[in-house]
Amino acid sequence: MHSNTVNPSSTHRLTLRRACGGDLPAVLALLAETASWLNARGVRQWPAGGFPAGRIVPLIEEGTMYLLDGEEGPAATLALDGHADPEFWAAEDDPGSALYVHKLSVARAHSGRGLGEALLDWAGLRVLGMGRRWLRLDCSKDNARLQDYYRGQRFAHLRTVDLPHRASGALFQRAGGLRGSALGAELPFVDSRGSSVRQNV
């Protein structure tokens, strides 16, 4: 992924919406593709074959899993919620002051188009909209390139929690809202009633 913002002229029509039950195969496929790509490069962030359905179904049922639809099908996915992983985020972090990004995945056919950046900016706006302060995530403690990517998106590395049974553990956060001086691009979000709400990210 690169640090470009989404250019509507190059990405055609993209619509962000909450995933529904029928989207489960598409979400699993996106996550499996990213997992395979990471593992082929020696990064143990996610299980090599992707996530089991049982890990994703609750996110869809809670309404916290999102799909970015392109003209030829799903282009990206992410989960955004207020669930702080208790193995990583302690009471002194004030877990309730943040929203947490999980399972961010961009289809390889859409890589390099700024979709990850746009989704993170959208998530940052959701932080402000829900009256919270921070956008947070955890990522592989051994993946320096991914950590540098998040630093490039204005995330600050807080600390690394080294648990022997977890590949993840590098903790990052940034203030809610957009990245610094990023201009962003419009990304339509379809709410739960099916109406389109355009948000500038």
Side-chain angles (χ1 to χ4, degrees):
M1 291 183 285
H2 301 287
S3 59
N4 304 329
T5 54
V6 172
N7 181 343
S9 65
S10 65
T11 56
H12 307 292
R13 289 189 58 83
L14 294 168
T15 302
L16 182 64
R17 61 180 176 83
R18 285 186 174 87
C20 62
D23 295 316
L24 179 62
V27 172
L28 292 174
L30 273 171
L31 295 173
E33 181 187 41
T34 298
S36 296
W37 182 79
L38 289 171
N39 278 270
R41 284 153 180 79
V43 179
R44 297 184 306 112
Q45 174 78 13
W46 290 347
F51 293 94
R55 290 277 302 276
I56 305 305
V57 168
L59 299 174
I60 293 176
E61 291 177 343
E62 293 169 5
T64 58
M65 195 85 204
Y66 297 86
L67 267 180
L68 184 62
D69 286 328
E71 294 180 338
E72 299 178 357
T77 189
L78 88 161
L80 181 69
D81 58 39
H83 302 317
D85 189 320
E87 289 194 319
F88 293 150
W89 302 99
E92 54 266 30
D93 295 314
D94 190 10
S97 66
L99 291 181
Y100 299 82
V101 173
H102 316 274
K103 313 286 187 299
L104 175 60
S105 178
V106 176
R108 300 312 304 158
H110 293 274
S111 65
R113 299 169 69 179
L115 301 189
E117 293 88 333
L119 288 172
L120 290 171
D121 272 352
W122 171 82
L125 292 177
R126 295 282 287 178
V127 168
L128 297 183
M130 294 184 67
R132 304 200 187 193
R133 182 177 182 186
W134 303 107
L135 180 64
R136 290 175 173 164
L137 55 88
D138 62 85
C139 70
S140 173
K141 55 197 175 192
D142 298 322
N143 189 345
R145 182 177 177 185
L146 182 59
Q147 293 180 34
D148 285 344
Y149 168 78
Y150 285 122
R151 288 187 179 93
Q153 300 306 307
R154 308 293 197 273
F155 282 87
H157 176 244
L158 297 181
R159 63 184 179 275
T160 295
V161 180
D162 191 10
L163 300 174
H165 63 288
R166 300 287 296 270
S168 191
L171 308 186
F172 287 82
Q173 75 175 16
R174 79 180 192 198
L178 303 178
R179 289 162 288 154
S181 60
L183 296 177
E186 271 196 346
L187 190 66
F189 171 66
V190 178
D191 67 17
S192 59
R193 297 177 298 280
S195 59
S196 181
V197 180
R198 301 193 73 84
Q199 298 201 6
N200 184 47
V201 298

